[in-house]
């Protein structure tokens, strides 16, 4: 049906009339979008079936990637790209008077994630399919996702994310594959054939119903699966209050990251995590058993990867199945489990290494808690034999201690592989956060630097740059991103640089148009687009950026001789609903924007834009337009980052600390093509361990800092009363945990260097070209190939390309 535009048009019109029960002339844009989506899903259905049949027939090892988030974005454009049919479809639709871009705008961003964790998972699925690797995703089908962010009077307001209002054209509901998940209740023990057995009795049953989404490889016939679980009431509930049971059940898959500042929220989060793993592993085991009959070789044919600590309960859940359902001995079950599960750590922040109170964990998951207790007992005995008498070490490494179940400890004990997501991140895990575990199990630890799919973040989001690259060095890089490197030879070619400048200007105009349409704010496309878009968190230091803008504003107002190239500072970020400090930073950004953008003395040289509701589809317009990529987290705190990679792939120049993947970006592009400033990771760790930092010294000895700090509380921002006092106190009274004031001077200095470099257009464009040339290393294809070979032991499926 997609062989040529005439064939496409005939099939499309017929499909639309059948689906919608109306003539084409009467159809709405949504009708037209739904029709196209349905046609594409039908088009790949045979490949989807054949992919799964091939995996079953060959009995080859498969990986299942469990993640609490999958930040997919819109799928229409990427599916058309991967199938190689965009041109045919666009031409056919044009003949019918339909704008393909308008259809793409009808699709909601899938509300399945929030930040880098979920976007990484989405990129990994794309790479698995595009490399013909047998790998699938398992997640939760959130009804409302996180939230839709609105900015009202400068404040973040959260509204329900209604991404499923019109359904999801890509998904297929599979009720016949539903899995029953048990909560609460009690554990009964009994003997059978002289062996102690356990069963979960009087539990609250929740039905996990799968919705499958096809994951289409780029120009291959591989179509893998993302299975999303929806929580629904069991047809046989053990409860008298059926309506309350229905509400409690459906809440499990209603929102991503429920507020856990109270016990009810904590219980719901833990419910979500167990729901994900119980449904996923139940489904995986059932599928495996149909083919193989028994589970003795399960770990030789299946690997289950847990993306951060959220799915760590996969370990005791697999143990439960092997012990209670299959009748294995503990030793046999542990051998299988510990050779099936692999774990990626995504943080060095101790508060993000999840810990659950026993008082919450045990009643909610009684059998799982019993198994975790046994794992802990046996693990501590193992440590005792290795470190006899060293009670302090064993206490620090225990899975259960001081009334808490420590999920990262469980993940390490029960996994065969533990990886960090950048070289510096892995080194910090080994030397600090997980040093004792590394000393005990050095063979488990490895590093896999994150990557991004260049198909979405360059080919799809920036067709102008893609065309320039193709015209300049050919198309080999599309299948082998490392072959972007020949662009280095063009980084001094004036003609190429002029073309690169035109591409950037075009992309800035596209973003400027979007800003004006959404906010009525005109931005200068000849200005430097200085961009910081990411989750709002204190360690990511949006605050450092804001305080520096305040300094620039003061300087421009007070010093008539001070000149800078016009600068447009662009922010995009969501703050967790219960993270009140982060929400105050959002208000600060918007209060400063209101002041600066309405000041006729500076607004031609300085402008601030906060783009509300930051999401994948918005990011696809932001990354190609950026000149400067702000990656200014406190060194040692950002595990990797992937926004930094998307920016450099689109020709932005990184301004950042030596943190996360910035370190490797520096290695790839060279010192002359990046702006590095501030404390190094070792400096931060030294201050944290030994003290010696006094933020008030910087306040008293740097007039710039004193002025902007006082402006937080002295009425500089009208009509906010004492709203910014917590920010002021965090920097002075609480001694500036993330070293904002310590790094302020270095940041201001490096920003001067950015300004100077941008004024030399040839130099700047050379830097931009070198960043694009070096970005191929950061493709998720490279990352996934390393996971496949070095962790999972999976190989390319035998499959033809289109």
């Amino acid at each position: 049906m997609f062989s040529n535009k005439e064939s496409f048009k005939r099939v499309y019109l017929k499909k639309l009339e059948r689906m919608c029960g109306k003539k084409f002339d009467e159809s709405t844009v949504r009708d037209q979008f739904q029709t196209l989506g349905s046609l594409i899903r039908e088009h790949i259905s045979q490949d989807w079936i054949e992919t799964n049949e091939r995996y079953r027939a060959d009995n080859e090892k498969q990986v299942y990637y469990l993640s609490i988030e999958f930040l997919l974005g819109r799928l229409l454009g990427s599916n058309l790209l991967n199938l190689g049919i965009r041109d045919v479809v666009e031409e056919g639709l044009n003949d019918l008077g339909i704008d393909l871009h308008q259809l793409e705008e009808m699709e909601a961003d899938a509300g399945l994630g929030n930040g880098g964790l979920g976007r990484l998972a989405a990129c990994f699925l794309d790479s698995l399919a595009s490399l013909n690797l047998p790998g699938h995703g398992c997640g939760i089908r959130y009804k409302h996702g996180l939230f839709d962010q609105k900015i009202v009077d400068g404040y973040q307001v959260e509204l329900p994310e209604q991404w499923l209002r019109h359904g999801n054209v890509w998904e297929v509901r599979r009720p016949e594959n539903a899995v029953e998940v048990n909560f609460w209740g009690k554990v009964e023990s009994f003997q059978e054939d002289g062996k102690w057995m356990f069963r979960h009795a009087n539990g609250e049953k929740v039905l996990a119903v799968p919705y499958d989404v096809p994951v289409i490889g780029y120009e291959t016939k591989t179509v893998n699966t993302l299975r999303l679980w929806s929580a629904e009431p069991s047809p046989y509930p053990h409860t008298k209050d059926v309506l309350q049971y229905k509400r409690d059940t459906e809440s499990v898959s209603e929102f991503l990251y429920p507020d856990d500042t109270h016990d009810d929220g904590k219980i719901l989060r833990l419910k979500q995590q167990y729901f994900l793993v119980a449904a996923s592993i139940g489904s995986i085991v059932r599928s495996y058993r149909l083919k193989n009959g028994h589970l003795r070789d399960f770990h030789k044919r299946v690997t289950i990867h847990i993306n951060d600590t959220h799915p760590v309960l996969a370990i005791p859940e697999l143990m439960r199945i092997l012990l209670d359902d299959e009748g294995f001995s503990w030793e046999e079950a542990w051998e299988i489990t510990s050779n099936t599960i692999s774990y990626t750590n995504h943080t060095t922040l101790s508060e993000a290494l999840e810990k659950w109170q026993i008082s919450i964990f045990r009643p909610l998951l009684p059998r799982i808690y019993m198994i975790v207790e046994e794992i802990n007992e046996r693990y501590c005995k193992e440590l005792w034999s290795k470190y006899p008498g060293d009670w302090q070490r064993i206490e620090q490494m225990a899975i259960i201690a001081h009334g808490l179940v420590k999920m990262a400890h469980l993940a390490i004990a029960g996994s065969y592989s533990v990886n960090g997501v950048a070289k510096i991140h892995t080194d910090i895990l080994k030397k600090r956060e997980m040093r004792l575990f590394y000393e005990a199990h050095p063979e488990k630890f490895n590093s896999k630097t994150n990557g991004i799919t260049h198909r979405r973040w360059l080919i799809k989001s920036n067709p102008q740059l893609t065309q320039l690259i193709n015209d300049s060095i050919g198309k080999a890089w599309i299948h082998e991103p490392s072959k972007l490197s020949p662009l280095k030879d063009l980084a001094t070619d004036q003609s190429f640089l002029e073309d690169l400048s035109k591409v950037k200007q075009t992309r800035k105009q596209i973003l400027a148009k979007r800003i004006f349409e959404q906010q009525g704010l005109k931005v200068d496309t000849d200005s430097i687009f200085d961009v910081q878009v990411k989750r709002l968190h204190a360690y990511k230091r949006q605050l450092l950026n804001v305080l520096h803008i305040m300094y620039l504003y003061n300087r421009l107002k007070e010093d008539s001789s001070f000149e800078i190239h016009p600068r447009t500072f662009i922010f995009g970020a969501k703050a967790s609903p219960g993270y009140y400090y982060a929400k105050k930073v959002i208000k600060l950004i918007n209060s400063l924007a209101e002041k600066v953008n309405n000041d006729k003395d500076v607004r031609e040289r300085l402008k601030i834009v906060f783009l509300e509701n930051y999401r994948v589809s918005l990011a696809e317009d932001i990354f190609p337009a950026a000149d400067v990529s702000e990656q200014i987290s406190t060194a040692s705190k950002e595990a990797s980052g992937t926004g930094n990679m998307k920016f450099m792939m689109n020709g932005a120049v990184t301004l950042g600390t030596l943190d996360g993947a910035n370190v490797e970006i520096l290695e790839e592009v060279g010192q002359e093509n990046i702006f590095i400033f501030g404390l190094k990771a070792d400096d931060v760790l030294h201050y944290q361990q030994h003290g010696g930092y006094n933020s008030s010294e910087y306040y008293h000895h740097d007039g710039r800092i004193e002025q902007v700090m006082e402006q937080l509380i002295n009425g500089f921002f009208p009509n906010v009363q004492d709203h910014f006092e917590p920010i002021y106190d965090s920097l002075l009274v609480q001694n500036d945990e993330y070293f904002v004031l310590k790094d302020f001077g270095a940041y201001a200095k490096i920003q001067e260097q950015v300004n100077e470099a941008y004024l030399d257009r040839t130099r700047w464009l050379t830097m931009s070209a070198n960043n694009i040339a070096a970005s191929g290393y950061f493709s998720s294809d490279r990352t996934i190939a390393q996971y496949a070979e070095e962790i999972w032991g999976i190989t390319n499926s035998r499959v033809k390309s289109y």
Side-chain angles (χ1 to χ4, degrees), residues 595-610:
K595 192 173 190 73
V596 169
N597 297 344
N598 290 303
D599 189 326
K600 63 183 187 332
D601 295 334
V602 302
R603 64 188 179 196
E604 300 305 318
R605 291 173 290 174
L606 208 59
K607 198 148 286 183
I608 304 168
V609 181
F610 187 96

Side-chain angles (χ1 to χ4, degrees), residues 291 486 541:
K291 171 69 179 176
R541 298 202 298 191

Side-chain angles (χ1 to χ4, degrees), residues 26 35 46 60 95 101 108 115 118 149 153 174 288 340 349 492 495 502 560 570 597 616 648 696:
E26 299 170 347
T35 300
Q46 191 60 39
E60 56 188 303
D95 284 357
H101 177 70
Q149 180 194 55
D153 295 330
R174 312 265 192 209
Y288 180 87
T340 298
L349 300 177
T492 55
S495 176
K502 291 175 183 176
S560 59
I570 298 172
N597 297 344
V616 174
M648 74 176 296
S696 63

Side-chain angles (χ1 to χ4, degrees), residues 410-450:
L410 176 59
I412 298 169
S415 301
Y416 67 85
S417 170
V418 178
N419 73 279
V421 291
K423 290 177 182 177
I424 188 173
H425 172 232
T426 306
D427 286 343
I428 291 170
L429 292 180
K430 291 177 178 179
K431 294 175 184 177
R432 188 187 67 171
E433 293 297 336
M434 296 179 176
R435 177 179 61 84
L436 298 180
F437 292 94
Y438 175 65
E439 291 172 358
H441 314 287
E443 74 286 351
K444 290 188 178 185
F445 284 76
N446 60 94
S447 182
K448 299 289 177 283
T449 299
N450 283 346

Side-chain angles (χ1 to χ4, degrees), residues 392-409:
Q392 184 177 6
R393 177 186 291 262
I394 295 169
E395 180 187 30
Q396 289 177 311
M397 296 177 70
I399 297 165
I400 301 176
H402 308 295
L404 298 171
V405 180
K406 301 180 180 181
M407 304 298 268
H409 295 195

Side-chain angles (χ1 to χ4, degrees), residues 405-606:
V405 180
K406 301 180 180 181
M407 304 298 268
H409 295 195
L410 176 59
I412 298 169
S415 301
Y416 67 85
S417 170
V418 178
N419 73 279
V421 291
K423 290 177 182 177
I424 188 173
H425 172 232
T426 306
D427 286 343
I428 291 170
L429 292 180
K430 291 177 178 179
K431 294 175 184 177
R432 188 187 67 171
E433 293 297 336
M434 296 179 176
R435 177 179 61 84
L436 298 180
F437 292 94
Y438 175 65
E439 291 172 358
H441 314 287
E443 74 286 351
K444 290 188 178 185
F445 284 76
N446 60 94
S447 182
K448 299 289 177 283
T449 299
N450 283 346
I452 60 169
T453 171
H454 60 289
R455 287 169 286 275
R456 179 178 288 269
W457 295 111
L458 178 49
I459 301 173
K460 178 182 181 295
S461 64
N462 199 342
Q464 296 85 357
L465 180 56
T466 299
Q467 189 61 53
L468 175 59
I469 295 171
N470 290 345
D471 292 344
S472 302
I473 62 171
K475 297 182 178 181
W477 66 275
I478 292 176
H479 286 282
E480 296 181 62
S482 62
K483 291 187 176 179
L484 283 168
S485 59
L487 288 173
K488 291 180 182 178
D489 297 333
L490 297 174
T492 55
D493 182 299
Q494 197 60 41
S495 176
F496 174 79
L497 296 182
E498 288 175 7
D499 289 339
L500 182 60
S501 178
K502 291 175 183 176
V503 166
K504 181 63 71 174
Q505 188 65 15
T506 296
R507 296 305 313 196
K508 291 168 82 169
Q509 289 167 356
I510 291 171
L511 181 59
K513 181 174 181 287
R514 183 165 187 161
I515 291 170
F516 181 74
E517 288 173 349
Q518 292 182 359
Q519 301 188 17
L521 182 66
K522 291 184 178 180
V523 297
D524 179 6
T525 56
D526 290 325
S527 68
I528 302 171
F529 277 22
D530 186 316
V531 185
Q532 188 175 18
V533 288
K534 53 183 72 234
R535 180 168 55 91
L536 204 307
H537 194 288
Y539 85 82
K540 295 179 184 287
R541 298 202 298 191
Q542 286 92 345
L543 181 58
L544 175 59
N545 193 345
V546 177
L547 294 180
H548 175 256
I549 300 170
M550 291 170 64
Y551 153 69
L552 288 179
Y553 175 76
N554 293 334
R555 184 98 185 264
L556 287 167
K557 290 288 285 183
E558 297 166 1
D559 183 355
S560 59
S561 66
F562 178 58
E563 289 294 333
I564 59 169
H565 187 85
R567 186 82 67 104
T568 300
F569 290 95
I570 298 172
F571 294 87
K574 289 183 178 181
S576 177
Y579 192 178
Y580 299 109
Y581 182 87
K583 293 168 86 167
K584 289 183 182 295
V585 174
I586 288 178
K587 172 60 177 172
L588 176 61
I589 295 169
N590 285 295
S591 294
L592 183 60
E594 183 178 9
K595 192 173 190 73
V596 169
N597 297 344
N598 290 303
D599 189 326
K600 63 183 187 332
D601 295 334
V602 302
R603 64 188 179 196
E604 300 305 318
R605 291 173 290 174
L606 208 59

Side-chain angles (χ1 to χ4, degrees), residues 649-715:
M649 191 172 276
N650 283 279
V653 182
T654 302
L655 187 169
T657 53
L658 281 175
D659 195 27
N662 292 352
V663 175
E664 288 154 271
I665 291 176
L666 170 62
E667 292 173 359
E668 294 296 317
V669 303
Q671 187 72 48
E672 67 279 9
N673 295 304
I674 193 171
F675 298 99
I676 297 295
F677 77 99
L679 293 170
K680 296 180 173 61
D682 287 344
D683 301 326
V684 172
L685 298 178
H686 184 271
Y687 278 126
Q688 289 179 331
Q689 291 171 4
H690 305 290
Y693 173 55
N694 186 348
S695 63
S696 63
E697 292 182 6
Y698 293 85
Y699 170 81
H700 290 300
H701 292 94
D702 188 326
R704 300 169 300 181
I705 291 175
E706 181 179 10
Q707 184 178 18
V708 298
M709 288 291 293
E710 288 305 307
Q711 286 173 335
L712 293 174
I713 58 173
N714 67 4

